[in-house]
Amino acid sequence: QVQLVESGGGLVQAGGSLRLSCAASGSSFRLNAMGWYRQAPGNQRDLVAYITNGGSTNYADSVKGRFTISRDNAKNTVYLQMNSLKPEDTAIYYCNTLSRQWYWGQGTQVTVSS
């Protein structure tokens, strides 16, 4: 079973930046479209951005123009560069395949202060 380990979260002021990383074990990473998801307290876990195995990307309207997803198949890692952060971006961030087929990791907390 593939294991996912997210990192890079933290506390940042509004307008700041963070870069999240998600490392996956196993050889099937490169075959899958990968997504970044986030879940704020009391909310469902929503898709924020995804990248196909061919490198095409798509973003939720709420983050378009501020977040950039990328991947390094040689390192089995997907990244999320987050700029111009807003307090409403505060959440736990997770990665998974676009079909959510792997077990979830522990996530990484992002807190944006106003």
Side-chain angles (χ1 to χ4, degrees), residues 28-35 37 50-54 56 71 96-102:
S28 59
F29 173 85
R30 62 182 178 84
L31 303 176
N32 285 275
M34 294 297 299
Y37 303 79
Y50 72 84
I51 182 167
T52 68
N53 56 355
S56 298
R71 66 190 297 163
N96 208 322
T97 66
L98 192 55
S99 59
R100 309 189 182 200
Q101 68 185 83
W102 294 336

Side-chain angles (χ1 to χ4, degrees), residues 62-79:
S62 59
V63 306
K64 201 170 293 183
R66 301 188 297 122
F67 290 10
T68 303
I69 189 171
S70 61
R71 66 190 297 163
D72 185 338
N73 289 336
K75 296 182 179 180
N76 277 13
T77 301
V78 60
Y79 304 97

Side-chain angles (χ1 to χ4, degrees), residues 2-49:
V2 174
Q3 290 186 320
L4 299 167
V5 179
E6 299 92 349
S7 62
L11 173 64
V12 64
Q13 289 187 332
S17 299
L18 286 172
R19 188 191 192 209
L20 307 184
S21 300
C22 171
S25 63
S27 60
S28 59
F29 173 85
R30 62 182 178 84
L31 303 176
N32 285 275
M34 294 297 299
W36 277 99
Y37 303 79
R38 68 185 181 187
Q39 186 170 21
N43 291 353
Q44 62 184 11
R45 192 169 298 182
D46 293 327
L47 179 66
V48 171

